[in-house]
């Protein structure tokens, strides 16, 4: 009996210490991995609460607000004696989120975080740990590199920049040619988004190291193209996005693809080209990519903004690309849709688009990212699911 | 007489119309080339005044302020009926300048410009046209690329990022090896500064196309290195910069140089390695580069922060690297100092350092950038003057 009592005590102690430990870990706030070097705030707790701070002694009101997956409604902060405004966001989803302060009505970036182009302007970002996921983190595997590639565009009359991922081994095998994925960003972001916010290089490095994806090049160009002399203001209305896609199509056909194939060792032909994009980039993948099955054979729509009107008459849409469903299905190797479970307008657009295609007799696949919104962690997971299907 | 009067009238008309024209051009404000796509403000006039605007209807006071070469003292802006705060900076020097708004005492970035890491935080930047200078602009010549190179650092326990410029032709000549310049940034900036703010790729592309510089690789790593377990707060005091340089030295010797030589086709040996840096990077070039003439043979100090105490006793400083002036002079091919004419503490530091070296019998060269401050246009010009001297 004494012995049993002793064992019971031992078990109880172990249980209590475990509870205490979990409590400590949940309450332990550490600087976010995305903070600039040596900066203390924002801090993240073990259960993904986010403590923020901004020094603004003379401000009358300071709030913090975030993008999808992080504090959609502004949260009032409280000023301390040193003039710092403090507050804790009660919960944050996994992955990258935009956020900002609102100081007397003006959006203000956090001086402690890097700025990322989002919402058409430089915006602070924070990386929240994702439990049981490391597919998007740099690991001890061979690394590809992302290259900044400038070229002059006659169509737009401007220097344009693309980022190009070359896989591990690209330099060491100077005679090897690779298939290529053209990977498009969304509205209000730019060609830097997929590598900076999206960690696409880590995702591809890890997939390639695990022999889950074919080594490929990835071209990330800018999704905004305004023809020389076109003075229409740049907005992100549906009509404007569709109108501008026609200019971007011309830039892809006459400039981006030729420049990239001249500059990098790419396998020729439609079977070695894929196009995928997120949000506005999904719209462009439909309007440019699917329209040109002569150029591409694999397609990905990540929370793709494929508006109703695009396939209103699927038979005649996209220059009749879908009019012969049999021929289309034979030519197209991958037709893939993905979205976050918490972004209803976009899961609906994916479902509606797939139904229209299904009505023509065209099959496609669908992936839903659990618990994520219209945000980068959805698109990271989409890329991680989509890339292994390419060029098989 | 009538004919002469007619001619006089013609001349007068021509003169007046020319005056009017100059006036129009000076008063004509156009969006800065550095604005985000389609954004109207800031605007620059023909005589380099800068019109700024920020929407902040609820703010009590808004000012604009800039870095060296642009509005050092805050300029009060005036609110219009739409809640926009407007003002015109009366004059701006050539090249890249940081700037920001101050809204009720808080530094706020301009949503219309990209953000660049400056002063240890993301900061707006504007590009002012430089009369009669295009050495730093993308031109119709073959382009190298800047690559984002990640590697794991055991010394700091972190993933570190370098940007690496590979010259035009690097991919096309897979057996060719190149000399390398290690190019260091300043305090409060990072490894992205030289390509983003500095336009180093355009400068090198243009020099190489004009056969003025030897094709070379340029490695731009991060100038902050904190050893694993070192919990000293990151500050930019003189003592801290010097202390941290010892860690950075170890990172260069054991990690950066070996990783780069393994990853890129670099010519071996000290005669094929140069080191140059701006401001804090100049200090590091002295503390790391000059200390190791076994590794480097060309040195550049661009507004180099070579504090008095570094060469207080030149004979014993830097592990005695300068103790045998003859041997040093034979080994070192280029020892080059540059600074802006308007940054007195740094022109003085260059002069003082050169005097100390001269006292030992070591010769160096000096360049002064006319009319520029402690700012990127000084360092762009320095790189443009320095790079042609390397590896000859």
């Amino acid at each position: 009996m004494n012995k049993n009592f002793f064992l019971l005590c031992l078990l109880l102690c172990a249980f209590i210490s475990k509870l205490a430990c979990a409590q400590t870990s949940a309450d332990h706030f550490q600087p976010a991995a995305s903070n600039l070097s040596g900066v203390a705030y924002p801090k993240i707790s073990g259960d993904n609460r986010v403590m923020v701070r901004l020094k603004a002694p003379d401000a009358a009101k300071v709030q913090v607000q975030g993008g999808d997956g992080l504090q959609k409604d502004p949260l009032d902060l409280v000023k301390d004696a040193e003039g710092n405004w403090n507050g804790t966001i009660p919960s944050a989803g996994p992955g990258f989120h935009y956020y900002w302060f609102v100081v007397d009505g003006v959006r203000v970036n956090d001086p402690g975080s890097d700025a990322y182009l989002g919402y058409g302007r430089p915006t602070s970002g924070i990386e929240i740990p994702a439990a049981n996921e490391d597919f998007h983190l740099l690991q001890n595997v061979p690394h590809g590199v992302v290259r900044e590639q400038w070229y002059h565009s006659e169509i737009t009359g401007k220097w344009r920049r693309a980022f190009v991922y070359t896989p591990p081994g690209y330099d060491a095998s100077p005679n090897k040619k690779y298939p290529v994925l053209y990977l498009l960003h969304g509205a209000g972001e730019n060609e830097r988004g997929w590598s900076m916010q999206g960690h696409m290089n880590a995702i591809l490095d890890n997939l390639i190291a695990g022999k889950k994806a074919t080594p490929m090049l990835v071209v990330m160009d800018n999704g905004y193209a305004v023809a020389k002399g076109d003075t229409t203001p740049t907005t992100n209305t549906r009509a404007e996005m569709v109108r501008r896609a026609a200019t971007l199509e011309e830039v892809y056909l006459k400039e981006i693809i030729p420049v990239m194939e001249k500059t990098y060792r790419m396998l020729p032909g439609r079977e070695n080209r894929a196009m995928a994009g997120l949000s506005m980039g999904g719209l462009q993948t439909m309007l440019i990519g699917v329209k040109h099955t002569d150029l591409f054979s694999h397609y990905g729509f990540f929370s793709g903004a494929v508006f109703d009107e695009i396939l209103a008459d699927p038979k005649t849409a996209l220059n009749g690309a879908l009019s012969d469903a049999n021929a289309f299905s034979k030519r197209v190797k991958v037709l893939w849709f993905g979205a976050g479970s918490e972004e209803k307008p976009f899961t609906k657009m994916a479902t509606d688009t797939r139904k229209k295609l299904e009505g023509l007799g065209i099959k496609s696949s669908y992936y839903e990212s659990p618990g994520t919104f219209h945000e980068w962690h959805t698109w990271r997971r989409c890329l991680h699911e989509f890339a292994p299907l390419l060029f098989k």
Side-chain angles (χ1 to χ4, degrees), chain A residues 140-200:
Chain A
N140 186 19
V141 298
H143 296 293
V145 295
V146 173
R147 309 178 184 204
E148 194 172 335
Q149 183 71 48
W150 289 94
Y151 61 96
H152 193 266
S153 157
E154 293 298 322
I155 297 166
T156 64
K158 287 193 173 146
W159 286 95
R160 286 175 62 91
R161 178 178 62 175
F163 287 92
V164 180
Y165 169 83
T166 57
Y170 183 84
D171 279 354
S173 313
N175 296 313
K176 190 172 171 182
K177 294 188 168 188
Y178 296 82
V180 57
L181 164 63
Y182 289 87
L183 187 60
L184 283 60
H185 64 82
E189 299 181 336
N190 74 2
E191 67 273 21
R192 204 190 273 146
W194 264 110
S195 55
M196 210 173 156
Q197 292 94 306
H199 293 190
M200 62 71 59

Side-chain angles (χ1 to χ4, degrees), chain A residues 292-321:
Chain A
H292 288 284
T293 55
D294 54 318
L295 293 174
F296 302 95
S297 53
H298 304 69
Y299 302 103
F301 305 88
F302 307 168
S303 317
V306 184
F307 307 127
D308 263 356
E309 59 267 31
I310 304 300
L311 301 185
D313 179 4
K315 284 263 177 202
T316 60
L318 311 171
N319 264 14

Side-chain angles (χ1 to χ4, degrees), chain A residues 5 21 23 40 77 95 109-110 117 157 163 188 194 202 211 214 255 335 340 370 381:
Chain A
F5 181 73
C21 205
Q23 194 60 33
L77 304 184
N109 287 329
D110 190 337
L117 199 74
F163 287 92
W194 264 110
K211 301 203 180 305
T214 303
E255 298 182 330
L335 194 61
R381 284 179 178 162

Side-chain angles (χ1 to χ4, degrees), chain A residues 52-63 75-87 103-104:
Chain A
V52 297
R53 167 172 290 186
L54 181 74
K55 192 161 187 99
D58 303 329
K61 184 178 183 183
V62 178
Q63 300 171 301
L75 175 78
D76 288 345
L77 304 184
V78 178
K79 188 159 78 164
D80 66 20
E82 283 81 43
N84 291 310
W85 294 77
N86 298 286
V103 176
D104 295 347

